């Protein structure tokens, strides 16, 4: 592996703002899978682990520190086998069901609609409920929306009150099935597009609750799937007659690995070659986003339909000795850098991307937190979310890399620095990912348009790219302060190998740009 240089140069125009970065890009995902719900979020009211109405308290506190904007539930593949009436009413009377997707275990449905909405309330997060198209019915989905969001004396509102909840909830986001091309029904794009229109038509807005209905979109770069969904939506006369489209967003899923496929290699340890291949696969999300955006732009130049990446993250082998169907994997510095790369891409395409959901929040895949009994560990990925939370609902800033080190990976040049920036009021946040596994990188950033001073700078890295946190060493990978130099509008930082960094700025008044040939050339 040959690195061409260990310096990088960039320009950020502090007075040139773009689209707003939707806070929901920092969304999360909680499926009935492994130990995400049970033994994760839900421990039960009789547990010795501190809890609020059965929901684990330390997880609530950890996620609230991220300003978690939304939570997707109950799946995933599980969503298209889930019948919501099984999960309401007295817990001791709820029927058991078989979770045939994940571990083929039997669960008791103690965590259902009321528990999930209570969880969202405790988190201060919006609910993203994924409905069942695969094995459900239009009526079932329609009644679930009514049960959740209607406030008068309708049949489902009465049932909700009988089950202990008087007032309706707010549910901003509604998923129309999941992975309809696979576990959600093995449908063709054309068939699913018709189903999505039909189901969406009967998921009504009740009272002042307004749903953003999200059609189950493509796997990775299947642009034909997106094209069929957009064409079916936009060429439907009845759909567009009154200006209210049946669904308002289309999703896609993208899981990162080192090129051999999901669930084929270990989370740690790994070779330098596999590390760089993973970084290249993560960076390829930009090509995939760009393709979906181009298709959507061709049918919808006015951005009426948004793009949602409601499953993303790394997918490695399960940890030795754990249930293969539970998808429990370790979380390293490498995973944190995958997150940093994704967020930079999501920020750049904020015009079209309205939401993204990391898979998943607790104990599954690229999790925020891992639990073992009463012990909770914050992962390196958690820290990326925390360091980056200042981008939520901020305005993009014009940010350009003019010189960047590269590494040759599978015949292509992989840029070894990624960055994005945003502003809110008189503050700005710069995020930097440095991917070189064995070299520092001196980054010079020309800050133009406004005066600035550094209020805080933090870096996240480890002894090596496979470093992770556990109960014995919970802070092995954690943010620490690092030095910066800001002189005459030129910010200089030296990034250690395999690191993620953020620089927070206080902004002053606008000032004329200073031309610097060594940066601008």
């Amino acid at each position: 592996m040959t690195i061409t240089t260990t310096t990088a140069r960039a320009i950020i125009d502090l007075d040139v703002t773009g689209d707003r970065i939707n806070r929901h890009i920092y969304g999360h995902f909680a499926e009935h899978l492994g130990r995400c719900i049970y033994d994760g979020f839900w421990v039960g009211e009789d547990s010795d682990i501190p809890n609020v109405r059965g929901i684990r308290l330390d997880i609530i506190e950890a996620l609230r520190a991220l300003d978690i904007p939304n939570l997707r539930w109950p799946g995933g593949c599980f969503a298209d086998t889930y019948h919501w009436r099984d999960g309401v009413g007295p817990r001791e009377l709820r029927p058991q069901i078989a979770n045939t997707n994940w571990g083929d275990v039997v669960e008791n449905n103690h965590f259902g609609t009321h528990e999930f909405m209570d969880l969202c309330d405790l988190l201060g997060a919006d609910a993203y409920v994924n409905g069942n198209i695969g094995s459900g019915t239009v009526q079932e989905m329609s009644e679930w929306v009514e049960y959740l969001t209607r406030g008068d004396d309708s049949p489902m509102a009465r049932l909700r009150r009988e089950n202990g909840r008087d007032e309706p909830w707010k549910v901003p986001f509604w998923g129309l099935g999941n992975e309809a091309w696979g576990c959600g029904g093995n449908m063709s794009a054309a068939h699913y597009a018709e189903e999505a229109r039909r189901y969406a038509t009967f998921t009504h807005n009740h009272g002042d609750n307004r749903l953003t209905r999200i059609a189950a979109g493509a796997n990775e770069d299947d642009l034909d799937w997106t094209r069929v969904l957009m064409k079916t939506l936009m060429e439907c006369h009845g759909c567009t007659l009154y200006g209210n489209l049946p669904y308002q967003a289309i999703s896609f899923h993208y899981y990162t690995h080192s090129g051999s496929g999901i669930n084929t290699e270990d989370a740690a340890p790994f070779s330098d070659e596999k590390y760089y291949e993973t970084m290249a696969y993560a960076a390829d999300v930009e090509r995939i986003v760009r393709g979906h955006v181009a298709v959507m732009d061709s049918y919808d130049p006015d951005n009426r339909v948004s793009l949602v990446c409601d499953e993303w993250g790394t997918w490695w082998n399960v940890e030795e000795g754990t249930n293969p169907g539970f998808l429990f994997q370790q979380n390293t510095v490498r995973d944190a850098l995958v997150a940093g790369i994704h967020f930079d891409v999501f920020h750049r395409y904020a015009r079209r991307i309205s939401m993204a959901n990391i898979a998943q929040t607790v104990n599954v895949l690229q999790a925020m937190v891992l639990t073992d009994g009463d012990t909770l560990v914050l992962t390196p990925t958690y820290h990326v979310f925390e360091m980056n939370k200042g981008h939520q609902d901020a305005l993009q800033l014009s940010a350009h890399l003019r010189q960047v080190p590269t590494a040759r990976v599978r015949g292509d040049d992989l840029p070894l620095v990624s960055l994005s920036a945003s502003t809110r009021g008189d503050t700005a946040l710069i995020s930097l990912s440095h991917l070189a596994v064995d070299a520092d990188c001196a980054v010079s950033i020309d800050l133009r348009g406004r005066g600035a001073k550094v209020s805080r700078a933090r870096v996240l890295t480890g002894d090596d790219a496979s470093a992770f946190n556990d109960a014995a060493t919970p802070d092995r990978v954690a943010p620490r302060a690092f030095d910066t130099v800001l002189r005459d509008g030129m910010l200089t930082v030296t990034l250690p190998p395999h690191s993620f960094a953020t620089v927070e700025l206080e902004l002053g008044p606008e000032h004329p740009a200073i031309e610097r040939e060594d940066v601008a050339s």
Side-chain angles (χ1 to χ4, degrees), residues 498-511:
H498 48 265
S499 63
F500 175 79
T502 54
V503 181
E504 299 171 38
L505 302 175
E506 294 180 13
L507 302 182
E510 296 183 6
H511 61 69

Side-chain angles (χ1 to χ4, degrees), residues 134-170:
S135 67
T137 66
V138 171
Q139 181 176 350
E140 179 182 23
M141 189 181 294
S142 179
E143 289 180 343
W144 199 6
V145 175
E146 179 185 334
Y147 183 92
L148 281 159
T149 64
R150 193 170 180 92
D152 59 10
D153 195 35
S154 74
M156 292 301 103
R158 287 200 303 273
L159 179 60
R160 183 190 66 243
R161 292 189 181 95
E162 291 170 6
N163 289 328
R165 171 75 182 195
D166 184 26
E167 294 299 318
W169 290 284
K170 295 291 185 184

Side-chain angles (χ1 to χ4, degrees), residues 199-280:
Y199 274 75
T201 301
F202 294 96
T203 53
H204 299 293
N205 294 325
H206 295 285
D208 61 356
N209 189 79
R210 292 294 177 267
L211 294 175
T212 295
R213 302 163 186 84
I214 302 169
N219 182 35
E220 298 193 355
D221 60 357
D222 184 357
L223 301 186
D224 285 339
W225 188 279
T226 299
R227 185 174 293 108
V228 170
L229 289 185
M230 292 300 298
K231 178 178 170 59
T232 303
L233 181 65
M234 293 302 180
E235 294 185 358
C236 167
H237 177 66
C239 297
T240 59
L241 184 61
Y242 301 108
N244 186 24
L245 298 174
Y247 48 85
Q248 293 73 44
I250 292 175
S251 72
F252 77 101
H253 291 174
Y254 187 73
Y255 284 99
T256 296
H257 47 81
S258 64
S260 301
I262 62 172
N263 200 29
T264 59
E265 298 178 8
D266 292 341
F270 44 81
S271 66
D272 287 356
E273 179 183 19
K274 291 299 181 183
Y275 166 84
Y276 280 112
E277 289 174 350
T278 302
M279 295 300 104

Side-chain angles (χ1 to χ4, degrees), residues 323-350:
N323 188 322
F326 282 10
L327 305 188
F328 178 82
Q329 67 184 37
Q330 194 45 264
N331 194 299
T332 69
V333 170
R334 177 174 67 165
D335 299 284
L337 290 171
V338 168
I341 291 169
H342 276 69
F343 282 132
D344 286 344
V345 173
F346 295 158
H347 296 166
R348 282 195 285 276
Y349 289 86

